[in-house]
Amino acid sequence: MNARADLPELTRALRALISAYHADPPGDTVGRLAAMRDIGMLLGSLKRHGVEPLAAVPEARGPLLALGAATDMVPRDTVLHYGPWNPTGARQRMFVGAREETVLIDAVRRTAPAIEDATLALAGLAGTDVADPAFAVAGRRAVARLEVLPEVMRTVGRVVDPARFFAARLRPFMEDVEVDGRRYYGPAAAHVPLHLLDRVVWSADHGDAVHSALQDDLIDYGLPAWRRLYARDEGRETLVTRVVRAVREAGGAGPELLPSVEVVSDLLRVLIVFRGRHSPMVKAAYTDNENYCAGSAGASPDVVRHILELTRRCAEALRSATGRHG
């Protein structure tokens, strides 16, 4: 249908899904997430071909609002629906059906759970002393879980042409749509909880207004638990701040503190390597692109580079404060 730009058939397909929803509403969370995923594929498809979905199928409004409320998420599909909650193999939902799309879906499928797991584990260190061996052990597990990030970006960079495939073919399916008077972003990869990991590791007390505004914008598109953690960490010291203070109070990074210093340094390293690989892809996708000046979650290439620079500065400050080099 998308290859043919078959608007009548796409419209009929969305109406059929809405009728199926009313005939047998999903009664559990898994069913509701699946329903939102499939309805969302048609929302994005209609919008890509120039039609505001709820203008064409206004009866979709009620199910979208109900599904969003029942799952405590926004009333449209997100990157979690498109990635981790998208079946593999023949049942995988796709907009264009290309190999590159499968690689991008799989990238989110692998990175979003890893980031969530690592973030929740690191957030759990709030009551653990930096010198406690448990701090470094938990942090080291988080680092290991996050090593998938630069690995995935290597694969994406090898297979996906940022301009010819992503910006030209896939990005148009991720436009924002209007639901009940408000516009909602499409299933953008920017909504994986990297902003939440940043907040716990370094940005809650090292960020700036630009980064904070982006984080505030992104947090609505995740899980309810992410929003609770985001609110809880408002004003809380980051891991970087806690490690630097512990080293200063101890007069240096002695044997008790060195494992934790190394862990936090490695967390920043993973973030920097990931963003160092991602930033040129964003630039390639949107430079000289007459259709888009910002990504599917509203951030421009300049913002992506800005966050990378903030992370690098934070890593340098950590090295300086703890006497580490390189």
Side-chain angles (χ1 to χ4, degrees), residues 100-108 110-111 148-162 165-166 189 274 277-278 281:
E100 293 94 332
E101 186 176 8
T102 292
V103 168
L104 289 171
I105 291 171
D106 190 58
V108 177
R110 296 176 64 194
T111 56
V148 70
L149 270 66
E151 175 190 329
V152 161
M153 289 310 298
R154 189 184 303 114
T155 301
V156 169
R158 197 166 52 238
V159 176
V160 180
D161 186 302
F165 179 76
F166 179 75
F274 173 80
R277 292 176 180 171
H278 180 232
M281 294 181 191

Side-chain angles (χ1 to χ4, degrees), residues 57 76 216:
V57 187
R76 78 155 296 181
D216 290 343

Side-chain angles (χ1 to χ4, degrees), residues 141-152:
R141 287 180 185 148
V143 170
R145 191 76 172 94
L146 292 169
E147 291 292 356
V148 70
L149 270 66
E151 175 190 329
V152 161

Side-chain angles (χ1 to χ4, degrees), residues 226-299:
W226 301 357
R227 297 198 300 274
R228 289 192 293 270
L229 177 59
Y230 187 76
R232 190 204 76 179
D233 272 21
E234 179 72 31
R236 184 172 293 198
E237 286 187 328
T238 59
L239 298 185
V240 167
T241 296
R242 292 176 61 198
V243 165
V244 167
R245 189 182 70 251
V247 169
R248 286 174 174 163
E249 289 176 352
E256 289 185 346
L257 292 175
L258 188 57
S260 294
V261 171
E262 291 175 339
V263 158
V264 175
S265 296
D266 283 346
L267 287 167
L268 291 169
R269 172 188 57 79
V270 171
L271 288 169
I272 289 167
V273 171
F274 173 80
R275 287 202 165 99
R277 292 176 180 171
H278 180 232
S279 185
M281 294 181 191
V282 174
K283 181 179 180 181
Y286 293 106
T287 299
D288 299 326
N289 188 320
E290 60 184 26
N291 295 316
Y292 302 108
C293 60
S296 43

Side-chain angles (χ1 to χ4, degrees), residues 125 130 132-141 259-260 263:
L125 293 175
V130 173
D132 188 328
F135 185 101
V137 169
R140 186 57 58 196
R141 287 180 185 148
S260 294
V263 158

Side-chain angles (χ1 to χ4, degrees), residues 4-283:
R4 298 190 306 269
D6 193 338
L7 280 168
E9 192 59 31
L10 287 166
T11 303
R12 281 192 290 271
L14 180 54
R15 286 195 176 118
L17 277 186
I18 298 304
S19 295
Y21 170 88
H22 285 302
D24 186 18
D28 61 1
T29 299
V30 171
R32 291 169 183 141
L33 296 175
M36 182 66 88
R37 174 199 62 213
D38 289 354
I39 293 171
M41 295 297 293
L42 289 162
L43 297 181
S45 297
L46 284 166
K47 188 61 185 284
R48 186 264 176 271
H49 299 297
V51 172
E52 193 64 50
L54 268 64
V57 187
E59 61 267 33
R61 173 183 172 276
L64 288 172
L65 293 174
L67 289 168
T71 57
D72 198 11
M73 297 182 70
V74 293
R76 78 155 296 181
D77 56 318
T78 69
V79 74
L80 296 174
H81 298 83
Y82 185 53
W85 301 334
N86 195 342
T88 58
R91 294 181 59 246
Q92 179 169 275
R93 275 66 165 157
M94 303 175 74
F95 290 112
V96 300
R99 178 195 175 212
E100 293 94 332
E101 186 176 8
T102 292
V103 168
L104 289 171
I105 291 171
D106 190 58
V108 177
R109 207 181 262 135
R110 296 176 64 194
T111 56
I115 296 169
E116 179 186 27
D117 291 348
T119 301
L120 293 177
L122 294 172
L125 293 175
T128 305
D129 190 272
V130 173
D132 188 328
F135 185 101
V137 169
R140 186 57 58 196
R141 287 180 185 148
V143 170
R145 191 76 172 94
L146 292 169
E147 291 292 356
V148 70
L149 270 66
E151 175 190 329
V152 161
M153 289 310 298
R154 189 184 303 114
T155 301
V156 169
R158 197 166 52 238
V159 176
V160 180
D161 186 302
R164 293 181 186 176
F165 179 76
F166 179 75
R169 294 187 62 192
L170 191 60
R171 168 70 173 81
F173 290 94
M174 297 180 180
E175 287 292 279
D176 57 317
V177 302
E178 184 175 332
V179 181
D180 201 35
R182 177 181 166 184
R183 305 208 70 82
Y184 292 91
Y185 292 127
H191 294 143
V192 299
L194 200 63
H195 52 287
L196 199 59
L197 178 64
D198 286 336
R199 191 170 174 88
V200 171
V201 175
W202 67 273
S203 75
D205 50 13
H206 289 83
D208 64 4
V210 172
H211 193 199
S212 295
L214 179 64
Q215 289 179 320
D216 290 343
D217 199 29
L218 295 176
I219 195 62
D220 285 345
Y221 292 83
L223 295 173
W226 301 357
R227 297 198 300 274
R228 289 192 293 270
L229 177 59
Y230 187 76
R232 190 204 76 179
D233 272 21
E234 179 72 31
R236 184 172 293 198
E237 286 187 328
T238 59
L239 298 185
V240 167
T241 296
R242 292 176 61 198
V243 165
V244 167
R245 189 182 70 251
V247 169
R248 286 174 174 163
E249 289 176 352
E256 289 185 346
L257 292 175
L258 188 57
S260 294
V261 171
E262 291 175 339
V263 158
V264 175
S265 296
D266 283 346
L267 287 167
L268 291 169
R269 172 188 57 79
V270 171
L271 288 169
I272 289 167
V273 171
F274 173 80
R275 287 202 165 99
R277 292 176 180 171
H278 180 232
S279 185
M281 294 181 191
V282 174
K283 181 179 180 181

